[in-house]
Amino acid sequence: MDRSLHKTIVKSITAVIGKKKHQLHEPLFIGNEINYLKKTIKENLVSSIGPFVKKFEDQIKKFTKTKYAISVINGTEALHLSLVACGIKYNDEVFVPTITFAGTANAIVYSGAIPHFVDSELETLGVDPIKLERYLEKVAIKKGKFYFNKKTSRRIRAIIPVHIFGNICQVDKILKIAKKYNLIVIEDAAEALGSFYKKTHAGNFGLVGCFSFNGNKIITTGGGGAIITNNKLLARKIKHLSTTAKIYHQWEYIHDAVGYNFRMPNLNAALGSAQIENLNKFLKSKRKLFLRYCKEFLKINDVTLIKNPKFSKSNNWLNTIFIKNSSIKKRNKVLSFAQKKQIFLRPIWKPLHTLKYFNNMPKMKLDIAMKIYKSCINLPSSASYFNSKK
Ligand SMILES: Cc1ncc(COP(=O)(O)O)c(C=O)c1O
């Protein structure tokens, strides 16, 4: 490997985005954000009641072509609430990639279930369906209608495929496996607003799909999330549970279940509503940035840029390079050199099964995840770089 690879990589990045201080991903406010926020204050509707919640939910439905959308306080609780609403219970096992944000697996634990870690593939960085199927053939046993883990005797109940950095995972193959093994599919599309698989928007493949609108996402509500589904009963249940399971009454406080206070405030929805109006512009500028990085990194032998596989269209939320024959030491050399130049690159998450509190959870062999961990680096990817109206 080229001993000055760290310098070559940083040079390629600055060739695309210039030599100045760069964060990994910054929000872009070029539309009605201030107007809408002012409106919520003027109307004294900043909290749980107000027109922007419905407006934002309608915009999400329209963009994703989904029948129902429920906005909530963040992506982690969108996943948690989805798991509860889909009937995931104490001691059920839920497959989740070890390469994802901690919130994905934390949500499984909040619901009382057990994360069961699975490996990822290099192409999409998402769940490896071939490995998953082979693994299930070994570890799953059918009792009646359901499948159980031979080793733990727990029911294998669901899978959370994650569209890593906006790259759609191999949805068709994963859905086929889920059908065979009677698994509920909850899509973690936290990073994938604006990503499509064969012309269908992310989040529409599972029983539900979850988004995050945290400050670093393609659009932001400050903090926030949403759940989409095409199932009317489930949508009602999710909305009900997200609003403390309160039954409408003129004055009484009546709740019919242990609900959650997860609804998105009007103030945050106002910001989201203005942001989503410009989502297509953000997608365009992100695509341009991705193509510029592609051109630049083609020149380097030992580095490849993670690309959308043919079957999908990524939102290019975060651009990711893969360093061939890498090690943690080599990866860190790139990170620290870039940091000295005020370019804040980020490694991929530490695979979750290596975190102390997840160490005893069930898992398959996770060798590709470890390879991804030591080889991948995220590049500055804000929508502002190639947006003409700043
Ligand atoms: C893959 C993934 N899942 C879940 C989440 C959780 O979203 P939030 O930060 O809004 O709770 C995030 C975002 O940070 C994420 O990147």
Side-chain angles (χ1 to χ4, degrees), residues 74-76 100-101 104 162 188 190-191 212 217 224:
N74 58 48
T76 307
T100 182
F101 176 59
T104 319
V162 186
D188 183 341
E191 305 172 345
S212 164
K217 297 299 184 295

Side-chain angles (χ1 to χ4, degrees), residues 13 24 125 165 317-321 335 344-349 376-381:
I13 296 168
L24 188 70
L125 303 180
F165 310 136
W317 174 57
L318 284 188
N319 292 287
T320 311
I321 50 168
L335 296 175
F344 295 94
L345 308 180
R346 286 284 176 274
I348 211 157
W349 310 281
C376 286
I377 292 178
N378 284 323
L379 310 181
S381 298

